[in-house]
Amino acid sequence: MFARLLQMIHERLKLVVLDEVREFYSVGCDDSGRGIVNEDAYQRNVLALAPKNKFRASLLWLVKSEAIAMAQADRLNDIYDHRHEGPTNSSSTSSIRTSGSTPI
């Protein structure tokens, strides 16, 4: 029974991942409400990562997208830190200030 439950969860997870990644490339809906997908972009950016396995390609795309998002967040943090450096660099901690002068 446990093995069957595990198999059902795995299949559901596959469907969710496949649907969510494909939905990212949606460009609108048709008259019936079904999503219209930019097939060229989906093929080029997702399926090309693992042409023989859509699920693997979708997982690779998610990992790649997360890595890009993390790199962009790090870059934004660096920009923020650079712009908000105090007059001295001796302090290892920084505080975020509101419009007043009291640290949060």
Side-chain angles (χ1 to χ4, degrees):
M1 197 161 106
F2 179 73
R4 178 66 183 142
L5 179 61
L6 187 60
Q7 183 181 13
M8 287 174 32
I9 291 171
H10 178 258
E11 291 302 318
R12 180 64 185 142
L13 180 63
K14 280 177 34 178
L15 290 175
V16 168
V17 168
L18 290 170
D19 289 346
E20 290 297 320
V21 171
R22 190 168 169 79
E23 180 72 22
F24 181 82
Y25 288 93
S26 177
V27 292
C29 296
D30 61 11
D31 293 336
S32 66
R34 188 171 170 201
I36 300 171
V37 174
N38 181 343
E39 291 294 335
D40 292 335
Y42 178 69
Q43 177 70 38
R44 183 177 59 252
N45 296 323
V46 180
L47 299 181
L49 296 172
K52 295 181 180 181
N53 187 328
K54 282 184 180 181
F55 182 61
R56 180 174 169 76
S58 296
L59 291 176
L60 289 170
W61 182 86
L62 286 171
V63 169
K64 179 181 167 186
S65 297
E66 184 175 334
I68 290 169
M70 289 178 69
Q72 289 173 341
D74 287 344
R75 193 169 44 238
L76 289 174
N77 284 334
D78 291 343
I79 291 169
Y80 177 83
D81 290 344
H82 179 70
R83 288 184 180 170
H84 293 91
E85 287 179 349
T88 62
N89 291 332
S90 61
S91 174
S92 63
T93 60
S94 63
S95 60
I96 299 174
R97 298 184 182 267
T98 59
S99 59
S101 62
T102 308
I104 295 178

